[in-house]
Amino acid sequence: MDIFGLISGFGNIFWVVIAFVVALSVIVAIHEYGHYIVGRWSGIGADVFSIGFGPVLWSRYDKRGTKWQIAAFPLGGYVKFKGDANAASGKDDEAMSDLTDEERRHTMHGAPLWARTATVAAGPIFNFILSIIVFAAVFLTRGEVGDTFKVGELRDLPPPAYTLQADDEIRAIGGLTVPSFGDAEGFSAFATDLPIAAPLEYEVIRDGQNARATGPYLYPPIVLHLAPQSAAYNIGMEVGDVITAIDERPILAFSELKEAVETGEGRALSLTVWRSGEEIDFTLVPRRVDEPQPGGGFETNWRIGIGGGLAFDPATETPGVGSAVWGGVVQTGRIIEGSISGLYHMVTGAISTCNLSGPVGIAQTSGAMASQGAMSFIWFIAVLSAAIGMLNLFPIPMLDGGHLVFYAYEAVAGRPPSDGVVRVLMTMGLVIVLSMMAFGLTNDLFCP
């Protein structure tokens, strides 16, 4: 049974919840396992490893005495180390007072500073590692386009029929010589100069011989990516849709769609969409969106949540493992940088606070990404893992970053902060975290 197909077909709240639980459980499991395994390597024992909170649905003990469990409310997880009073790693003074020095060494609160620091930092680090591995795996699976511009898989486009074929090596389109695909600037200029028409004449190498073929405009108005909870997603548009007309005016290029959206200042657009041989009419209202800029900062634009691309999948080559891993590192870094920049600009008022989603928004996005296929859902898990790892490093008591601040104080002062101070700060941290969750939930319910 194809669960991703079911999500696309039914689109109901049940499948949205399933997708959200799966995504969050994977991320939480990796995060908490980072704490657990590095703690174990550092000589710190664990009493409980839990995915979820509340009533225990399943559990078992391993040979080290750790209880592994799955609880009823899958909205997080925790590792309760020896010496902890609760899931938040509060100190159990009564239990600690009865331990010998050797036994205290194997607790979170009696371990050396380096062991505690490594154990706490491991959670976010494992989130980043998960993101890097997933992104690298996606790059290896998808491959990368080489310098030769060659047709891979043809997309389903409306008539007329074309004679362009898979494996054709494209040398020229519309009388313009195709530059190296690896030359981003040159290829962009080439695409800009292409006449907007269909069919276009393609000069290709087919089976080792020069040949001519007819093909579509290189960048047709086809939906290849659909942003979750965007204007296009919410009216029922799907990946693979081809926009053939705007306000009854035929279009052939994605740039024509982009221009109509950006110059319309939010005006409702009447779209004619070709989907698997049928024409469907939609009314779509663009939304104002705050977008990060390459040079820093944000710019507000009108968007509908559609991403386009080539009229066909270009043939790809499998990159080296090192190249794929480095791509994963770069992609993870971009997510962390973008998340920090977005939060900063929300705090300063440069962009709307509606850009911050809560649990409902994340759940809806999980379902939307799952509905677009396994690859999109896996990519989303990697994005969310990097963002959660970054958020956990914020210097807020209750979060891993707050504990690391306590350890930094201990390293400088030569002693840990008093238990009373820690309890007060942890309470404040809990208030901050709950306030952030409430704020995000309010955005989910009331932001447009």
Side-chain angles (χ1 to χ4, degrees), residues 347-371:
V347 170
T348 59
I351 63 175
S352 170
T353 55
C354 283
N355 286 280
L356 180 66
S357 295
V360 174
I362 295 172
Q364 291 173 329
T365 302
S366 300
M369 296 304 288
S371 72

Side-chain angles (χ1 to χ4, degrees), residues 42 83 102-103 124 132 146 157 272 297 305 309 317 328 348 362 382 398 401 420 423 425:
S42 303
E102 182 178 351
E103 290 172 331
I132 292 168
L157 296 172
T272 303
E317 303 170 354
T348 59
I362 295 172
M398 286 291 295
R423 280 193 290 270
L425 292 176

Side-chain angles (χ1 to χ4, degrees), residues 210-289:
N210 291 328
R212 294 181 182 274
T214 59
Y217 179 73
L218 194 57
Y219 289 96
I222 186 171
V223 180
L224 296 184
H225 306 284
L226 198 57
Q229 308 311 309
S230 63
Y233 178 88
N234 287 342
I235 64 170
M237 294 189 69
E238 298 178 1
V239 171
D241 285 351
V242 181
I243 295 94
T244 57
I246 301 175
D247 295 333
E248 300 183 354
R249 177 177 62 85
I251 64 170
L252 292 171
F254 193 88
S255 59
E256 295 176 292
L257 172 64
K258 187 172 184 290
E259 180 182 8
V261 171
E262 293 180 343
T263 60
E265 296 295 321
R267 177 180 60 86
L269 303 175
S270 297
L271 304 184
T272 303
V273 171
W274 185 88
R275 178 185 295 171
S276 301
E278 298 182 4
E279 286 195 343
I280 306 172
D281 293 324
F282 289 101
T283 298
L284 187 150
V285 181
R287 298 176 182 172
R288 295 178 67 93
V289 177

